[in-house]
Each structure stands twice: as C-alpha cells, then as structure tokens.
Amino acid sequence: MVASSVNQPVVVAPLLVALATAILTLLARFDLRVERVVSLAGGVGYTAVTALLFQRVVLGSESVLPYYLSNWPAPYGITLVADALSASMLALAGVVTLPALVFAVVSVRERGQRLSFHPLYHFMLAGVSGAFLTGDIFNLFVWFEVMLMSSYVLVVFYSGPEHTRAALSYVVLNLLGSAVMLVAIGGLYATTGTLNMAAMARRLGEPAAYNVAVAPTLGLAALLLAVFALKAGIVPFHFWVPAAYRAAPAPVTAVLAGVVKKVGIYAIVRLFFTVFVAAEYANGSALDYVGPVLVVTAVASMVYGGLAAVGRDELEQLLALSSVGQVGFIVLPLGIAALAPNLPMPNGVPGETLAAFGVAAALVYSFNHAVAKGLLFLVAGTLTDVIGTTEFDRLGGIARRAPVLAGAFLLGGLSLIGVPPLIGFFGKLLVFRVGVLAGAAGSGTAARLAWLGLAAALVGAVLTIAYVTRAWNAVFWGEPPKTVEAVLEERWSAGRRESTAAAADGGQFGVTSRRTLAVEAVVLAVLAVTLVGFGVGADLVVEAAAEAGEAATDTAGYVDGVYPEDGIDGVPADGGDHSGDGGGH
Amino acid sequence: MSDETESNRPAATAGPTDETEQTVNTSTGRVGPAFDHRTTVIARTVVRVVVPVVVVTALALLFQGHNRPGGGFIGAVLTATAAVLVYVIFGLEYLQSHLLGIDSSPNEPHAPTGWYRWLFAGGLALAAGSGMFPLLAGLPFLTQGVAFVHGLPIYGELEVASALAFDLGVYGTVVGGLLTVVAEVGEE
C-alpha cells in the first residue's frame, strides 16, 4: 500500500500544469496567437488533471494520497495531500476555470491579453491548486500569496480610476490579512513545533506526549479564522467584495467569486474540522468555539448580502453583493455542524456525523455557487461587451433579442434561488436539512443557534428570489431602451457591427465581433447545461461531497494517510534529525 | 555649456564638464550622453570600485547557496543592487551605452528592459523545469541530487548539485524581475 499510494504524480499534476502553463505563456508573449493556444491548452489540461485526480481519489478506491515534495518525508519537507476534500475543491476549480478562460480569450481586449493576462490567470490557478493541495500550513500561506498577487493585478487590470481604487482597498486589506496570517502561523509553529498539518493535528491531540501548550493555539486559530473570513468575504470582512468584483474583468470575477473565495472556505474546513478539532481546550474543542461565530457571521452575511443586493441598480454590483449573501449559505452548515460535530445522522443522510454532513452540504452549495455565480458574472460580462453597461436603467427587453443570454441568466438565477432540478436545489436542501437535524436533535444554545440560522437562511432565500427576479425583470423583460434596441438588432439578427454600441463608453466596448459573441454564447450555454446536468445527476455531486465531508472530519485518517509508516514523527519538537537522505545519490 | 550652477539638461550634447569628459575618454570613445545627474566624483569613484566587488560577492553567494548561507535569491538581490547603483549614479543610459556598447537615443525605449523580461521568464522556466526533471526519473517534484567530480586540475574535487540549476533559475527570476521594475520606473 505504501509504495502505491505515496508520491503519485497525479497529485502534483494540477499544480504543475498551471505553473508550466503560466511560464510558457510568459515565454510565448511575442505572439498573441501562440500565447492563446498555449493558455487554452493549459486550461484544458488543468481541467483534465483535476478530473483525473477527482476520479482517482473521490470515485476510486484511494483515500488520502500524500506527495512528498523533494522526497523529504512527512514532517520535514513540504507535503502535498490529496484527499477527497482537496480533490473535490480542485474539481470545482477545473469546472469553472476553463469556461472562464475561453470567455476571457474572446472578451478581454487584445492589448490586455498581450500585456499579462494569461500568465497571471494561470499563476492564480497555480496558487489556488497549491492552496487546495498543500498539507503544510506555511506553504498554505505561500500559495495564498501566489494566488493573491496574481489577483491583485487582475483586479486592477483595466487601470481606470475606479479600478485602481477598488484594487487599492483589495490589496491593502489582503496584505493586512496576510500579515495577520503570518503572525498566527509563526505562533502556531512556536507553540506546536511543526508546520505540517497532520503533525500539528497529532501534537494537538496528544499535547502531553509532545510537550505542547494547547491554550495559545486557540487564539492563533481565531486569528486564522478572521483571515480566512476576509478571503472568503464573510460579513464583517465583506467590504472589499463589491468594488473588487466590479473592477475585475468578467471572467476573472467569475473565477474570483467561484473559486478564489472557496479557498477561504476550504482553509476554514481543513484547519478547523481536520486539524484544530484534535485539540481539547478548557471548554471543549476548537469547533465549540468557532461554531457560534460561524453561525452568527453566516446569518449576518445572508441577511446583509440579500438586503444589499435587492437595492442595487447595477447587475455586477448586485451579483457581487449576492456573493456575500451566498457565502453565508456555505458557512452556515459549517457553523451548525461545528456546534454538535459528533451528532450521529440518520440513514439516508450523506455523512455519518453532523460535522461530515455539514461539510458535505457546504461543498454542494459551494459547487452550486461556483458554477451559477460564474455563469451570472459571465452573463454580466457579455452584457458589458455587447451593450457597454450593466445598469438596469439602460437595459431591458433582452430576452426577446438574445435568447441564449437570457436562458443562461435564467438558469443561473434559478440555481441560485434553488429550483429543482438544478444543482442549487440540492445545495439549499442539504443546507436546510443540516439546520433542521441539528435543531431537532440538539439542545440548549446549539439548537437555538441552529434554528436562528435556519430562520436567517429562509430570509436569505426569499431575498435571493427577490433580487434575482428584480434583475431578470430589469434586464431581460420590459421594453428595451433605444440603445439596446439598436445594438441588439444589429448584433443578433443581422450580425453587423454598428458604432451605436460605442455610445456607452467611448468606443471601448463597441468592438465586439460576431465571433466573440458566438463564443461567449457557447460558453454560457455550456455552463448552463452544466448546472442542469449536475442537477439531474446530483447523486454524483452529493456522494462526492459526502466523501469529502468524511475525509475532512476524519483527522485520524488524514494523519495516517500523511504518515503511511507510523512513527516518523516520534522525535520531539526540536529534533532536526531526519531519517531520509533527501534523494541524494 | 558647462554651466554647473544651471541644469545641464540638454544631455545629448555631452556638456564637457570635468567629470563627464573623463568618462567619455575612458569609454569606447563614442560621445555618449552626459550625466544629467548631479552626482559627485566621490560617488562615481566609489561605485566604480564597489560594483565589481558586489557582483563577485553576489556570484559567490549564488554558487555556494545550496549548502551554505546564500542562494539564488540573495545573490540576485545583490546583483540587482549593483545594477541599481550604476543606474542611480550614472543614469539610465550609461549601462547600455558604456558598459554594453549599444547605441541608444533618448527617444528609444531602454533596450535592457526587454532582456530583463526574458531573464525573468527564462529563470522561472529553468527553476520549474529543474523541479520537473526528477519526475522523468520517477522521483517527486523538486527532488535534488548531488554528484562529486574528482581529479580536476585546480579544484581537486568539485561538488555539482542539481540544486544549483534551481538556484540559477531563482537568480534569473529575481534579477529579471527587480531590474524590470527599476528600469521601467526609471524610464518614466
């Protein structure tokens, strides 16, 4: 078993494909066509290897696949770990990033693509993959930085005043977050004597054996929680979201909202449900402490995001604020599950304990949000390309003129609302079920918080219906204003470009060719079909999420997976005597 | 022409002040642009002495980096510092016109900026490529090895570490990246 399960190249493949593509596109900058081909090939390759890893780990028989970078054994070198949770998140990234890339190739202006778009996009993917894969907490910080550095530039990509302003607050906030994260990681290293997550879980589980003071790690974990909440855009840390999402090019926003945000969620799940859960503090486990916090922030996110989105008169801002609300739906099951992690679940529920079920529900909802919100942002991007604006005042009646666009928006919106048979229905169903089960079986504060979360989720769901309906009415129904009429008749029936579109923004958006629109429409259609397809085949998603939930909450399995031969970590905290030779020969 | 109290801005005409004249004489003989920087003789002399030392130290750090203090990053930062010293003391054009012997006019873009970009990309490719190379042998990403070459004339024994390739990649990336920034900002 040892020989077959360690160091399989498929584990590191997503990381390497993204990295190699980024470098090759950098080298291919002399010719935009070559660069585009390389970039697209890399995007396809990325989706393929993430699917392969998903197939191997989640659907196949393998459970935890460790990969020892540089051939250093587990606690000494940097270990990559692909378990069902990591593989599911990577698969999610693979599903969203390829359509967004294809969209970007036709949508982002040529000068921008020539400048640096493709390397940045793939470096961002490399950062995302690394963050999902790494089993080392400092390495997690490094991949966060790789991801954020690229996203900084992508947010400021259009370099106008409002983009610069949005990027400035995005950069400053994330730099602050990174500094806090580094401090917390340094503190964890000082307290536990290791950076390897599996080793940390083991040491926190047996503090006496490893001479670890457990109490400080709770405060450090709280710092980390704040940082991850910032990256995920959960309510007290949501203020950078609308401006940044609005400033970035539409395909980038699709990836930021769909994938990059989920890295924060993933980090919360991984560190709290896998690592810190092992520690026993004065009044219970780390989950007992973070549970109420997560529930309250989720409630605030759902209500605030929903209310703020309803009041917007601009599609992109509405979608960005809706992202804040939807993240609440992802965090809520995590928080409720943290309140009573060991509550056994009845038959027919994906997950044996409430913790596993909560993570599974969060993952299904993440998947729904990633695809649906990615699709909606791309619809907004198409509207910007065609008409030059996403303000409700200047839009209307598009359903009749652009059925593909309208259909894509409708499906994305319905999935966000949670209408069967779309995947969003199953996401909402599981989230509500987590709340009901916890509320019914729990007692005291935990049950009250679960019911509170459930009530807020209901409010949030109603608000989702309200803002999606409002956006639909404003953009796709009603009488088209004159600008839309002129542009869309030319675009979609005759197919000839007319300069009327340029009226919006100084000609910048008026250069959309028929081919561009055709490609954009195909991308939207593919994503819409994905939503329906995964809704019809929801079993696959739910089963995968259930497996990921089990993997995320199975600390012992994770530790054993990272240390296939037991006893490597037997030396005390400062024992630097490594047993491997580092591959020297 | 040589009005020291006023700005000697019209640089292309090589104002023959005492200091600039010296430089023109020791260079390739081409009348290069004069320095429109108000740097002193002391600064210029010191930089002339210091830059080679800095570069040698940087290379030493680079080549011993895989098993002693040093490495690609710190070597690259030092190398970039040497280039920045030349830029700051002698101006943007000096590097390409005097040290590298390329004709340039103030209207053209700074030629080395393009090379720095390539150095950056090439360095990244080298570093990543050296990490991926072990995959061909079935070893994990980034696995390093070392070989000892015996019986060399002067050295006797030489240690050849595969980590050096990675370090060189880091070196190229950091030098390229830092100097791209410096040259781009300096041009504006």
Side-chain angles (χ1 to χ4, degrees):
Chain A
M1 183 225 161
V2 169
S4 69
S5 73
V6 301
N7 290 347
Q8 289 191 13
V10 68
V11 175
V12 79
L15 186 56
L16 292 187
V17 168
L19 197 62
T21 313
I23 294 168
L24 287 177
T25 49
L26 208 56
L27 289 170
R29 276 166 55 146
F30 55 89
D31 187 341
L32 185 58
R33 270 172 305 174
V34 179
E35 192 178 347
R36 274 176 178 162
V37 169
V38 171
S39 179
L40 284 173
V44 172
Y46 183 78
T47 306
V49 292
T50 52
L52 183 66
L53 186 63
F54 181 79
Q55 191 266 332
R56 196 70 70 78
V57 176
V58 182
L59 306 179
S61 54
E62 314 273 8
S63 54
V64 180
L65 294 180
Y67 190 91
Y68 307 116
L69 287 179
S70 312
N71 219 1
W72 288 90
Y76 307 109
I78 293 167
T79 313
L80 303 183
V81 187
D83 65 350
L85 177 63
S86 304
S88 304
M89 298 304 286
L90 280 168
L92 181 155
V95 169
V96 177
T97 50
L98 180 58
L101 179 63
V102 176
F103 190 95
V105 164
V106 293
S107 158
V108 174
R109 270 167 289 146
E110 224 167 80
R111 190 176 120 71
Q113 290 192 46
R114 206 180 279 282
L115 217 54
S116 56
F117 180 85
H118 294 286
L120 286 169
Y121 188 86
H122 290 283
F123 273 123
M124 185 163 78
L125 286 195
V128 167
S129 319
F132 284 150
L133 279 172
T134 186
D136 181 287
I137 195 167
F138 182 76
N139 200 231
L140 179 70
F141 167 78
V142 172
W143 290 121
F144 261 93
E145 286 305 293
V146 171
M147 178 180 88
L148 290 170
M149 290 283 173
S150 322
S151 70
Y152 296 155
V153 188
L154 288 173
V155 166
V156 78
F157 202 72
Y158 287 142
S159 310
E162 74 270 39
H163 309 117
T164 313
R165 191 174 149 272
L168 189 68
S169 60
Y170 180 65
V171 170
V172 170
L173 277 173
N174 276 300
L175 282 182
L176 274 177
S178 299
V180 172
M181 184 175 176
L182 197 56
V183 168
I185 290 172
L188 282 173
Y189 185 48
T191 341
T192 63
T194 183
L195 291 168
N196 186 296
M197 292 181 199
M200 193 175 282
R202 176 183 276 196
R203 286 167 186 223
L204 289 173
E206 305 165 46
Y210 293 98
N211 197 16
V212 171
V214 175
T217 59
L218 184 61
L220 298 166
L223 283 182
L224 284 181
L225 182 67
V227 174
F228 298 148
L230 172 70
K231 315 276 184 204
I234 306 171
V235 139
F237 306 105
H238 63 283
F239 31 82
W240 58 270
V241 172
Y245 281 15
R246 197 162 173 235
V252 172
T253 311
V255 175
L256 285 181
V259 180
V260 172
K261 213 169 216 209
K262 307 300 183 297
V263 177
I265 302 288
Y266 164 81
I268 291 176
V269 173
R270 173 60 83 215
L271 284 181
F272 285 91
F273 284 81
T274 313
V275 177
F276 291 127
V277 70
E280 271 303 317
Y281 299 105
N283 297 317
S285 77
L287 290 184
D288 292 331
Y289 287 91
V290 298
V293 178
L294 287 178
V295 171
V296 169
T297 52
V299 166
S301 296
M302 287 185 291
V303 175
Y304 169 82
L307 284 177
V310 168
R312 292 296 147 152
D313 292 321
E314 206 262 16
L315 186 58
E316 278 181 333
Q317 280 198 358
L318 181 144
L319 292 176
L321 283 162
S322 140
S323 269
V324 174
Q326 297 295 317
V327 164
F329 282 100
I330 299 172
V331 174
L332 181 68
L334 295 178
I336 292 177
L339 292 169
N342 296 319
L343 194 71
M345 288 290 103
N347 277 342
V349 170
E352 284 171 14
T353 60
L354 184 62
F357 182 35
V359 173
L363 286 183
V364 175
Y365 206 94
S366 294
F367 186 78
N368 161 47
H369 178 245
V371 181
K373 195 49 74 62
L375 173 61
L376 292 175
F377 271 119
L378 292 184
V379 169
T382 312
L383 285 174
T384 313
D385 283 349
V386 180
I387 299 160
T389 180
T390 55
E391 283 169 36
F392 291 161
D393 291 354
R394 297 161 73 180
L395 293 171
I398 289 172
R400 257 176 297 163
R401 285 148 206 276
V404 177
L405 197 60
F409 184 90
L410 186 65
L411 283 174
L414 289 181
S415 193
L416 217 54
I417 292 171
V419 173
L422 301 166
I423 183 67
F425 167 71
F426 298 95
K428 278 242 165 50
L429 180 71
L430 293 178
V431 169
F432 279 95
R433 190 134 190 233
V434 168
V436 170
L437 284 172
S443 59
T445 325
R448 272 198 292 278
L449 276 171
W451 291 124
L452 169 73
L454 209 55
L458 267 176
V459 175
V462 172
L463 288 170
T464 310
I465 298 174
Y467 63 69
V468 169
T469 320
R470 182 156 178 273
W472 170 261
N473 284 341
V475 177
F476 294 96
W477 273 356
E479 271 312 300
K482 280 216 163 53
T483 45
V484 172
E485 207 157 77
V487 172
L488 278 187
E489 266 176 0
E490 295 294 334
R491 288 289 149 77
W492 290 82
S493 39
R496 252 173 287 121
R497 195 182 76 72
E498 209 52 60
S499 58
T500 36
D505 278 87
Q508 164 180 331
F509 295 107
V511 287
T512 315
S513 72
R514 188 172 170 74
R515 201 176 116 255
T516 302
L517 291 177
V519 174
E520 289 181 354
V522 168
V523 170
L524 294 177
V526 166
L527 272 173
V529 169
T530 310
L531 275 177
V532 180
F534 279 111
V536 172
D539 276 355
L540 171 76
V541 180
V542 174
E543 269 170 35
E547 192 141 336
E550 293 293 344
T553 51
D554 181 12
T555 308
Y558 184 80
V559 173
D560 289 345
V562 176
Y563 299 114
E565 305 151 74
D566 214 344
I568 297 175
D569 192 32
V571 287
D574 55 347
D577 184 29
H578 57 81
S579 51
D581 63 352
H585 38 258
Chain B
M1 271 300 255
S2 59
D3 189 359
E4 283 290 325
T5 58
E6 291 293 323
S7 158
N8 22 0
R9 258 273 159 198
T13 50
T17 60
D18 289 348
E19 292 93 3
T20 47
E21 204 160 29
Q22 257 184 348
T23 318
V24 171
N25 287 345
T26 55
S27 73
T28 52
R30 197 184 304 113
V31 181
F35 316 121
D36 54 353
H37 293 250
R38 303 197 158 245
T39 51
T40 62
V41 184
I42 298 174
R44 269 177 252 163
T45 315
V46 167
V47 166
R48 271 168 194 282
V49 176
V50 161
V51 162
V53 178
V54 171
V55 172
V56 170
T57 314
L59 291 178
L61 282 173
L62 166 67
F63 287 115
Q64 70 171 17
H66 51 273
N67 55 9
R68 261 174 289 170
F73 181 82
I74 191 67
V77 172
L78 266 186
T79 311
T81 313
V84 168
L85 276 177
V86 173
Y87 276 140
V88 168
I89 300 299
F90 295 102
L92 192 66
E93 293 301 310
Y94 184 81
L95 190 93
Q96 71 182 49
S97 63
H98 288 61
L99 295 183
L100 304 170
I102 304 164
D103 281 317
S104 67
S105 77
N107 302 326
E108 282 172 24
H110 187 51
T113 315
W115 312 336
Y116 298 149
R117 292 219 177 102
W118 279 109
L119 191 60
F120 176 77
L124 268 179
L126 179 60
S130 78
M132 290 182 205
F133 187 71
L135 290 172
L136 298 178
L139 290 165
F141 181 54
L142 285 175
T143 304
Q144 306 294 342
V146 63
F148 290 92
V149 184
H150 296 281
L152 288 177
I154 301 169
Y155 286 93
E157 182 189 88
L158 187 65
E159 179 193 0
V160 184
S162 66
L164 185 61
F166 184 81
D167 259 349
L168 277 173
V170 174
Y171 181 84
T173 309
V174 176
V175 169
L178 283 177
L179 289 186
T180 307
V181 173
V182 170
E184 284 279 0
V185 174
E187 247 177 309
E188 283 174 9

